[in-house]
Amino acid sequence: MSTTTAEPVRVLDEEALGLLFTHAHTANSFAPIEVPDSVLERLHELTVMPPTAMNTQPLRILWVRSPEAKTTVGALMGEGNREKTLAAPLVAVLAFDAAWHEHLETLAPFRAAAKDTFAANEPMRVGMAKTNAAIQMGYFLLAARGLGLDVGPQAGFDAKGMDEAFFAENGWQSFAVVNLGYPAADGAGYRERQARLGFEQQTLTV
Amino acid sequence: MSTTTAEPVRVLDEEALGLLFTHAHTANSFAPIEVPDSVLERLHELTVMPPTAMNTQPLRILWVRSPEAKTTVGALMGEGNREKTLAAPLVAVLAFDAAWHEHLETLAPFRAAAKDTFAANEPMRVGMAKTNAAIQMGYFLLAARGLGLDVGPQAGFDAKGMDEAFFAENGWQSFAVVNLGYPAADGAGYRERQARLGFEQQTLTV
């Protein structure tokens, strides 16, 4: 292999990497500014573009906009998460759809013949949906940051209660609640950053 | 809530969003250029920054660099994936470490007292490791793109064989294999893009 390239490689600059990765913080509070519908649409559009296994795209999003729905979600949050979720300008409940195979002809026409096999194997469908929706949660959080939003993802809530309240008809299964909003002034929404493990602790080279 | 903000919100420009989300393609082949060690270190550094539940950071990465290791990994790939993995400039096996609680005092000192509870509950640890390592896989793939790399993630391989070959000592559990490299000239590494589902199909507003 050569060690040079014909064209310059396009990379993100430090400011962009900072916005997504190195400077960004998980937020517990936000500026008192609405998140417009157009930003929600763009956030969805970006989230679904990076790869999922067999293009399954199992992530589903519940945008919690009305005061009534916010109250219902708040009541289902763990006690330590309730207040900040009730105060967030926008709340998104992330879920997966284990019935992704119903879209298989659209998503993966080259695998459409396998639809019956997947239909008959719910554990496999649930496993693929869980893993790929979690991968897409990573895309969602970084896309939100790329659009200027701060994110506060949370796993501590009553998922069964959430599914009964909102997904009784479509069968989606919730796995995370994400608070979203524009950054509070002067980093007021952030706690101290916790430690990261090092390259030698988390990677191996063979 | 006000609809204006005192300071301009920092957002990624269209070129940066294109590099990560809208223009990028899953790659099946790459330019014949090495990926330097410094890029691997930077890729790890970026991947571990965005949030995980309780700061668990369960993702682990096996960098496959030697021809011997590449041959072992190639033999464990599903038939449709073997050739492209053997040809990739860099292969990363992504795994999770269900023993993340051993680092709890470093990762989440405010939860250090819960270490014994987690130690006693392996199913809970595995579940959290799977979900959060998959979220981190999303971060990893976008960080790689941000550093100018194309990515080719794959789920079709013998995970049990991979764990026996490489993780017998540390107990990591593999769940994805990612081919990485700099983009091939003229988009030669890409297949036609498959469909995405729409906002109305994948989101609900309440």
Side-chain angles (χ1 to χ4, degrees), chain A residues 42 45-46 49, chain B residues 14 17-25 193:
Chain A
R42 185 71 170 142
E45 199 172 77
L46 295 174
M49 291 307 292
Chain B
E14 285 302 316
L17 291 174
L19 185 70
L20 297 178
F21 295 102
T22 50
H23 184 78
H25 268 259
R193 195 188 296 288

Side-chain angles (χ1 to χ4, degrees), chain A residues 101-120:
Chain A
H101 63 295
E102 288 172 9
H103 302 280
L104 200 60
E105 282 165 41
T106 305
L107 300 173
F110 51 91
R111 294 297 302 277
K115 188 172 170 181
D116 291 347
T117 310
F118 288 117

Side-chain angles (χ1 to χ4, degrees), chain A residues 10 12 14-15 21 32 42 44 48-49 55 57 61 63 65-66 146 148 195-197 202-204 206, chain B residues 2 10 12 14-15 21 42 44 48-49 55 57 61 63 65-66 146 148 195-197 202-204 206:
Chain A
R10 292 170 61 202
L12 292 188
E14 284 302 315
E15 193 183 341
F21 295 102
R42 185 71 170 142
H44 168 264
V48 296
M49 291 307 292
N55 197 32
Q57 303 166 50
I61 305 168
W63 308 109
R65 293 292 236 174
S66 71
R196 297 298 185 274
L197 298 180
Q202 296 189 309
T203 85
L204 266 183
V206 289
Chain B
S2 147
R10 291 170 61 203
L12 292 187
E14 285 302 316
E15 192 182 342
F21 295 102
R42 184 72 171 141
H44 168 265
V48 296
M49 292 307 292
N55 198 32
Q57 304 166 49
I61 305 169
W63 307 110
R65 292 295 237 172
S66 72
R196 296 299 185 275
L197 297 180
Q202 296 189 311
T203 85
L204 265 184
V206 289

Side-chain angles (χ1 to χ4, degrees), chain A residues 10 12 68 70 80 95 108 128 148 154 171 175 188:
Chain A
R10 292 170 61 202
L12 292 188
E68 297 73 23
K70 180 75 90 73
M128 285 180 67
Q154 303 163 96
F175 68 98

Side-chain angles (χ1 to χ4, degrees), chain B residues 178-195:
Chain B
V178 183
N179 299 336
L180 297 145
Y182 292 101
D186 306 322
Y190 310 137
R191 292 209 195 104
E192 196 187 348
R193 195 188 296 288
Q194 298 300 321

Side-chain angles (χ1 to χ4, degrees), chain A residues 33-180:
Chain A
I33 301 167
E34 295 280 3
V35 181
D37 285 344
S38 60
V39 172
L40 272 55
E41 286 164 24
R42 185 71 170 142
L43 176 50
H44 168 264
E45 199 172 77
L46 295 174
T47 299
V48 296
M49 291 307 292
T52 52
M54 241 175 63
N55 197 32
T56 43
Q57 303 166 50
L59 182 70
R60 300 292 182 269
I61 305 168
L62 179 78
W63 308 109
V64 183
R65 293 292 236 174
S66 71
E68 297 73 23
K70 180 75 90 73
T71 302
T72 304
V73 169
L76 293 162
M77 298 306 296
E79 208 156 317
N81 293 333
R82 185 164 301 143
E83 202 176 334
K84 57 189 175 184
T85 293
L86 286 170
L90 172 64
V91 175
V93 178
L94 302 189
F96 62 83
D97 184 2
W100 50 262
H101 63 295
E102 288 172 9
H103 302 280
L104 200 60
E105 282 165 41
T106 305
L107 300 173
F110 51 91
R111 294 297 302 277
K115 188 172 170 181
D116 291 347
T117 310
F118 288 117
N121 192 340
E122 195 189 0
M124 178 195 268
R125 279 189 284 111
V126 169
M128 285 180 67
K130 276 188 184 177
T131 300
N132 284 279
I135 295 168
Q136 287 189 287
M137 176 173 166
Y139 304 151
F140 175 88
L141 295 175
L142 297 188
R145 286 180 169 179
L147 296 175
L149 296 166
D150 265 357
V151 300
Q154 303 163 96
F157 67 97
D158 173 1
K160 193 164 171 288
M162 198 73 81
D163 299 349
E164 286 168 2
F166 297 109
F167 305 139
E169 282 183 37
N170 62 23
W172 297 357
Q173 296 179 59
S174 58
F175 68 98
V177 175
V178 183
N179 300 337
L180 298 145

